[in-house]
Amino acid sequence: MQIRDLPYSDPGDPDVRSGPRFLYWLGRNQLGGQVKALCWGLLHQLGIAGMPVGVGLAVQAVIDRSGSRLALAGGLIAVLGIVLALGDTMLHRTAVTNWITAAARVQQLLARKTAELGSALTRRVAAGEVVAVSTGDVEKIGWFVEALSRFAAAAIALVGVCVWLAFYLPSLGLMVALAMPVLALAVLPLLPRATRRADEQREKAGKATELASDTVAGLRVLRGIGGEELFLGRYRRASQEVRRAAVRSARMWALISAVQVLLPGILLISLVWYGATLARDGRIEVGQLVTVYSAVTLMLFPLRHFEEIAMAYSFSRPSAQRAVRVLSLRRSAREATVEGVTPSGDLYDPETGLMAPGGQFTAVVCGDPDQAGRLAERLGGHAETGEEGKDGDVSVKTPSVLLGGVALDELPLDAARACVLVQDKDPVLLSGTLQELLDIPASGLVTAEAALEAAQCGDVLSALAQASPDNDGDPMRTRITERGRSLSGGQRQRLALARSLVTDPEALVLDEPTSAVDSHTEARVAAGIAKLRRGRTTVAFASSPLLLDAADRVVLVHEGTVVAVGTHRDLLRTEPRYRAVVTRETDDEAAATSAPHGVGEVPAMKSTQEIEERA
């Protein structure tokens, strides 16, 4: 796999049983790149290990006044220099390729999972955590995958050099061979504490990122209520906690680095002292001492890879665990079993008993807005179909929503999303032009102009035309800022509604589509939805009488169950719970309305006409 071939056509099915298993899966899927890096790493280490031999031969040739051997040593050093340069260059190239391709694979997996779960993802994992996993954690995971092959090459080179030294000069070689494992493993007792401190830093950084994203998203509101300094103060405190945690972590890694410098230094001093004693006594030659000393000095370079792989694993293991936590989330407990089917007809939720007849405009009234949001997500197949257990399994299954008698959870994800579209209560507008906003997968039966007209976006088009950079003032080519922050709440809501109408799904679910507009605009929007969606299944969660009156039928959901069905005006007359939600009755008014009366007496309210006027 080369960088130019990215992105992957299929990033694969990851092993999400644990963080280490996920890292192993990544390395196994890049086996070719790992083998290449290992081979180039061995060539690089060969150049490093061979240099002491050439230097030792050159020194001994000078002592023996042998020109031919000096020339031979010089040629050997030149060849080793070429080998060293080639190995180092190609090792760096393949290592960076492994890093980038591993990071790209993880990012593709995260993007695929985000698209699969939709809004359900941020209910189970904080948005700041998702951002941190897809940025910093991805880099740490790629670092470990890349460092693995370099570490393997360094370990093989160290073993080879130690064995060669033991045979070349046993008096010094055995000393080096016994010391190297101690140097390589000396930092292991320090790694658990270093890992804990790194995890603490990462946790605090994730919380700070989440706080920052929340502050930025609500900056407009914060300015309106004068709460900027309050939240900025909270972020300053959070960032200082991150700084202190980073300093504590850095101190631990500095200690590990110091150990990696101190112990090899002691080895070199001992080696020189003992070797000089042997050379003085004539037991070894000066060239041999130079060879061993040079070999040990250069062996400190591959020895650094032991510290690096320990650090990379310490950082990547919790990062991989956090990535696994996201990647192990499932859309539902069931796998897709229905292929090649585009269902149509009634939209039915067995859990609540909500029925939205095919081709009709159904309005749903819930006294609890949160319950309405959860029910809207269920209708779109976004909500989980069960409660998650400890190991991520779904232990309590609830029935799936049916469209035309077909369970949405049994459909492939893309087919389910194409059949039922859910517009959230607070829809997001991506940055770009209005034309790009409305250039989305759709049936092609609804034009952008018709959708904008039905959503009453005339004033939005006028505002965009005035802000258009072109002389013709084309609003479709005017750029909309991130999340549509240059527009008012009502304008953003109507543009999002127009986008949903352009899609023209088999079933459209709208959660409070007119909550941010005035009553006159709301009435026109309700009429526009009813007209444009005639013959298509539409469900709107609302409590506004203007929108409810435009619906073909109204359903009242109380405490998670459908308790009444009818038209808006009929339910006003016959259902006190419906009337209490729609007319915003106080407790005293509701008690007066529902109080028992004598035969022939009328309630305190004059007539149903008065109720309708209040509504």
Side-chain angles (χ1 to χ4, degrees):
M1 185 70 182
Q2 299 296 322
I3 296 177
R4 63 174 176 268
D5 299 325
L6 294 175
Y8 291 95
S9 57
D10 180 12
D13 186 17
D15 187 344
V16 294
R17 287 177 290 178
S18 66
R21 287 179 180 272
F22 179 64
L23 292 174
Y24 172 75
W25 177 85
L26 279 176
R28 189 185 63 195
N29 276 269
Q30 292 188 214
L31 190 58
Q34 296 290 342
V35 171
K36 288 181 181 178
L38 176 61
C39 293
W40 289 118
L42 288 175
L43 184 64
H44 180 234
Q45 297 295 337
L46 175 63
I48 294 176
M51 278 295 179
V53 178
V55 172
L57 290 175
V59 171
Q60 193 61 43
V62 171
I63 294 175
D64 296 339
R65 299 182 181 276
S66 174
S68 60
R69 283 191 293 166
L70 181 61
L72 179 63
L76 178 61
I77 292 174
V79 172
L80 289 173
I82 295 174
V83 170
L84 186 61
L86 177 63
D88 193 17
T89 301
M90 297 306 297
L91 173 62
H92 178 73
R93 178 171 179 172
T94 53
V96 170
T97 300
N98 287 340
W99 188 337
I100 294 177
T101 51
R105 186 187 295 273
V106 178
Q107 285 183 325
Q108 280 189 248
L109 291 171
L110 291 171
R112 185 175 69 181
K113 182 59 63 174
T114 302
E116 175 187 340
L117 294 177
S119 60
L121 175 63
T122 52
R123 292 201 313 272
R124 302 177 62 183
V125 181
E129 183 75 7
V130 176
V131 172
V133 169
S134 60
T135 53
D137 284 336
V138 164
E139 291 186 3
K140 293 181 179 66
I141 292 171
W143 175 28
F144 174 75
V145 173
E146 173 267 331
L148 194 59
S149 54
R150 291 190 291 109
F151 163 73
I156 293 174
L158 279 176
V159 172
V161 171
C162 288
V163 172
W164 174 75
L165 285 177
F167 284 98
Y168 174 72
L169 195 62
S171 56
L172 294 178
L174 290 176
M175 175 182 175
V176 174
L178 294 175
M180 279 300 164
V182 177
L183 298 183
L185 304 177
V187 298
L188 288 182
L190 301 176
L191 287 179
R193 180 175 296 181
T195 302
R196 286 195 299 270
R197 292 189 179 184
D199 288 345
E200 180 184 355
Q201 176 195 352
R202 171 61 182 74
E203 181 181 358
K204 292 183 180 298
K207 292 180 179 179
T209 302
E210 182 180 355
L211 180 60
S213 61
D214 289 344
T215 302
V216 171
L219 192 58
R220 186 172 182 178
V221 177
L222 293 176
R223 285 175 175 171
I225 63 176
E228 289 179 87
E229 289 301 323
L230 174 62
F231 277 80
L232 287 176
R234 291 180 181 177
Y235 181 72
R236 289 190 190 100
R237 290 191 293 272
S239 63
Q240 288 303 309
E241 290 181 3
V242 174
R243 181 188 62 81
R244 287 190 289 270
V247 170
R248 282 170 47 84
S249 178
R251 285 174 179 168
M252 205 64 218
W253 290 111
L255 177 60
I256 292 176
S257 298
V259 171
Q260 289 285 348
V261 173
L262 176 63
L263 295 183
I266 294 174
L267 173 63
L268 285 175
I269 293 173
S270 303
L271 182 68
V272 170
W273 176 80
Y274 182 56
T277 301
L278 294 178
R280 184 189 61 190
D281 296 339
R283 298 167 60 183
I284 64 173
E285 297 179 348
V286 175
Q288 290 178 317
L289 176 59
V290 172
T291 298
V292 175
Y293 175 79
S294 301
V296 174
T297 302
L298 293 177
M299 283 173 67
L300 300 182
F301 173 74
L303 192 63
R304 285 285 183 177
H305 289 288
F306 284 80
E307 176 192 352
E308 182 189 8
I309 197 66
M311 183 181 297
Y313 182 74
S314 297
F315 278 99
S316 65
R317 184 186 57 79
S319 295
Q321 194 62 46
R322 283 184 287 268
V324 162
R325 180 188 172 196
V326 176
L327 295 176
S328 61
L329 299 177
R330 292 289 181 263
R331 172 192 170 211
S332 68
R334 288 185 257 181
E335 298 293 334
T337 58
V338 180
E339 300 285 348
V341 175
T342 304
S344 61
D346 299 341
L347 185 65
Y348 176 65
D349 177 25
E351 184 178 6
T352 60
L354 173 61
M355 167 70 77
Q360 293 190 23
F361 182 10
T362 302
V364 181
V365 176
C366 292
D368 183 0
D370 292 335
Q371 183 188 47
R374 291 191 297 269
L375 181 53
E377 290 173 348
R378 269 189 55 78
L379 292 178
H382 296 277
E384 292 296 316
T385 59
E387 298 176 2
E388 188 174 296
K390 291 182 180 180
D391 300 325
D393 62 321
V394 178
S395 55
V396 181
K397 296 182 180 179
T398 55
S400 170
V401 171
L402 306 176
L403 178 62
V406 179
L408 292 182
D409 286 341
E410 296 177 359
L411 292 172
L413 181 61
D414 54 351
R417 294 281 168 86
C419 291
V420 183
L421 173 65
V422 179
Q423 177 176 301
D424 295 332
K425 185 179 302 183
D426 186 20
V428 175
L429 301 182
L430 302 179
S431 59
T433 64
L434 181 57
Q435 183 176 358
E436 293 172 343
L437 178 69
L438 300 179
D439 185 15
I440 53 178
S443 66
L445 300 178
V446 178
T447 63
E449 292 75 13
L452 290 168
E453 181 181 356
Q456 300 300 310
C457 295
D459 62 320
V460 184
L461 296 177
S462 299
L464 293 177
Q466 294 177 1
S468 173
D470 302 325
N471 294 329
D472 58 357
D474 185 2
M476 301 298 292
R477 300 171 63 181
T478 304
R479 187 170 184 80
I480 300 174
T481 58
E482 180 189 5
R483 290 180 173 267
R485 290 196 174 98
S486 59
L487 305 173
S488 68
Q491 291 174 329
R492 288 197 301 269
Q493 192 175 58
R494 282 175 284 156
L495 281 182
L497 175 60
R499 179 179 59 187
S500 300
L501 294 175
V502 164
T503 305
D504 190 35
E506 180 63 33
L508 176 61
V509 180
L510 305 171
D511 188 4
E512 295 288 353
T514 58
S515 60
V517 301
D518 60 82
S519 57
H520 297 287
T521 305
E522 184 178 28
R524 295 195 297 268
V525 170
I529 295 174
K531 179 180 178 182
L532 189 65
R533 293 285 301 172
R534 184 173 294 117
R536 307 287 268 176
T537 306
T538 306
V539 180
F541 288 81
S543 59
S544 169
L546 294 172
L547 192 147
L548 297 173
D549 198 37
D552 297 323
R553 66 199 302 268
V554 179
V555 177
L556 174 63
V557 177
H558 181 69
E559 295 182 353
T561 305
V562 173
V563 295
V565 180
T567 64
H568 168 61
R569 296 175 184 269
D570 290 340
L571 291 177
L572 276 177
R573 296 187 184 95
T574 60
E575 181 55 59
R577 289 171 293 187
Y578 178 82
R579 183 167 58 244
V581 174
V582 173
T583 64
R584 280 76 168 175
E585 279 185 346
T586 64
D587 294 338
D588 293 339
E589 291 174 332
T593 305
S594 59
H597 301 282
V599 178
E601 295 184 7
V602 296
M605 297 185 69
K606 294 181 179 179
S607 65
T608 56
Q609 181 179 0
E610 182 178 342
I611 299 176
E612 295 172 3
E613 289 175 353
R614 284 190 61 181

